[in-house]
Amino acid sequence: MTDKNIAQSEPVLVAIDISKARHEVLIAVPGKKRRRRLTVLNQLDDFNRLIATLSDYNRPVRVAFEATGNYHRALAYHLAAAGFEMKLVSSVALARTREALHNSWDKNDPKDAQVILHMMEIGNEQFYHDPLMRGTNDIQELSKTHDIVSKSKTELWHRILTHYLPLYFPEADRFHRSSRSDWFFAFLERYPSPHLISAMGKEEFIADAWTVVGRRVSKERLLADIYETAKTSVGLPVDADSDALRMFRLVLAEGRGLIAQRNHCPVVYVYIHEKGDREPLHRIAQRRHRLPVADLYTWDWTNQRPDHPGRSW
């Protein structure tokens, strides 16, 4: 009787090779040598069919897969919601195990499912915590979006520094202080060429650009310096209505949009209890630091300042 109970508690092992349109499933039932293969399309009906098939075994079910982009998230959520134990297989360990078992770099979906099942049998698995079920999905998306917008803004700013400014206004670089500042993009969008500035009188330019640069210390001196610099600029003398300047303005408008998006992204802070530190989560993610175990840290996002969106009090 005891042996029977122990046998009934042995889990059904399910190895899944994830792909975009369909998933290859390999099922190993305790006590049976023959393994069952299934192909599951990335559709709700197929997900429900797989869940029903696994539930019919009336045994605990342990599912393992290799994370593939975000294509695994939907299937993993539905299986976890059905009460199955979810495991993760390391991509590096999977590749090394496949080479060791088959003595070849060749791979295909059925073969990967076999290798994943072998790794499950020897216990070479990792924990999988579904972000939606664990309540960390919002935190994850906030951090990812902040990182994406910041990287896009940095890439665009480098493009401006290395392509557009050397062509049209090389001397303007020294007036720039921070890539987070919108005023410099707004100024270049208004005056993409120094010849547009030098065509105006000094007082006329200062009056016209007064509201563009925002609240600056010694604003009049700054604008006067820009005007004198524009008069001796070596920038290319392109026409104000040329396609070249129109493209420059298009890129600058994109940069201003990215700055606005970044300023409206709440900053997620992580409190690490061991160290007593408080650090933005996106910076930890950029350095690829591993967070400590879950009970040693908490998080929140900052209270937004109405005068400076995206900044905390």
Side-chain angles (χ1 to χ4, degrees), residues 5-284:
N5 291 336
I6 294 175
Q8 284 294 110
S9 65
E10 292 184 20
V12 175
L13 301 182
V14 182
I16 304 179
D17 184 75
I18 303 291
S19 61
K20 181 179 180 180
R22 65 180 189 178
H23 315 295
E24 296 296 331
V25 181
L26 186 62
I27 304 173
V29 181
K32 294 185 179 181
K33 294 184 178 180
R34 191 175 183 86
R35 296 168 176 176
R36 183 175 180 181
R37 291 187 180 276
L38 293 174
T39 297
V40 178
L41 299 180
N42 202 25
Q43 299 174 359
L44 183 59
D45 290 342
D46 277 30
F47 288 1
N48 292 333
R49 179 169 60 88
L50 175 61
I51 292 171
T53 299
L54 298 178
S55 300
D56 289 342
Y57 289 111
N58 295 320
R59 287 174 175 269
V61 176
R62 189 162 83 243
V63 183
F65 58 90
E66 175 194 8
T68 307
N70 284 317
Y71 297 126
H72 64 282
R73 287 284 301 275
L75 178 59
Y77 169 77
H78 283 85
L79 293 176
F84 302 141
E85 182 184 5
M86 304 302 296
K87 295 290 185 178
L88 196 63
V89 171
S90 166
S91 299
V92 175
L94 178 63
R96 299 295 180 268
T97 305
R98 181 175 59 245
E99 293 174 12
L101 290 177
H102 299 281
N103 195 27
S104 170
W105 290 355
D106 178 54
K107 69 183 296 296
N108 53 63
D109 293 347
K111 180 185 291 186
D112 280 350
Q114 291 180 7
V115 178
I116 292 173
L117 186 59
H118 171 75
M119 295 177 68
M120 296 179 70
E121 291 172 344
I122 64 177
N124 193 356
E125 308 158 326
Q126 299 175 350
F127 291 105
Y128 176 74
H129 302 290
D130 187 86
L132 193 58
M133 299 190 68
R134 292 282 179 168
T136 60
N137 190 64
D138 289 343
I139 303 292
Q140 178 175 297
E141 292 306 312
L142 283 170
S143 178
K144 283 186 175 181
T145 303
H146 189 283
D147 185 54
I148 290 171
V149 173
S150 297
K151 287 181 177 178
S152 299
K153 181 175 64 66
T154 301
E155 180 184 354
L156 184 137
W157 176 239
H158 288 167
R159 196 182 313 147
I160 292 173
L161 285 179
T162 59
H163 178 72
Y164 291 100
L165 286 187
L167 287 176
Y168 307 121
F169 203 165
E171 300 82 4
D173 185 22
R174 70 184 183 89
F175 299 108
H176 172 258
R177 294 294 180 269
S178 171
S179 61
R180 300 183 181 184
S181 301
D182 179 68
W183 80 267
F184 190 70
F185 285 85
F187 179 83
L188 289 177
E189 192 175 13
R190 184 75 167 268
Y191 310 104
S193 171
H195 303 286
L196 300 179
I197 299 175
S198 59
M200 307 167 64
K202 184 175 182 179
E203 298 300 327
E204 180 187 0
F205 165 71
I206 292 177
D208 187 62
W210 190 263
T211 58
V212 178
V213 298
R215 293 181 295 178
R216 312 292 301 172
V217 177
S218 304
K219 183 192 298 188
E220 186 172 356
R221 186 173 61 184
L222 171 65
L223 292 175
D225 191 6
I226 293 176
Y227 181 80
E228 296 300 329
T229 303
K231 289 174 62 178
T232 58
S233 174
V234 297
L236 298 178
V238 292
D239 295 333
D241 58 349
S242 64
D243 289 336
L245 289 190
R246 192 177 300 116
M247 294 302 100
F248 188 17
R249 284 191 170 107
L250 182 67
V251 173
L252 291 168
E254 181 184 354
R256 297 189 68 187
L258 289 172
I259 290 174
Q261 290 178 28
R262 185 192 181 282
N263 288 340
H264 284 85
C265 284
V267 180
V268 182
Y269 283 92
V270 174
Y271 296 85
I272 302 179
H273 298 172
E274 284 182 329
K275 301 179 180 179
D277 293 340
R278 179 176 183 269
E279 189 169 2
L281 180 60
H282 68 275
R283 291 183 183 172
I284 296 177

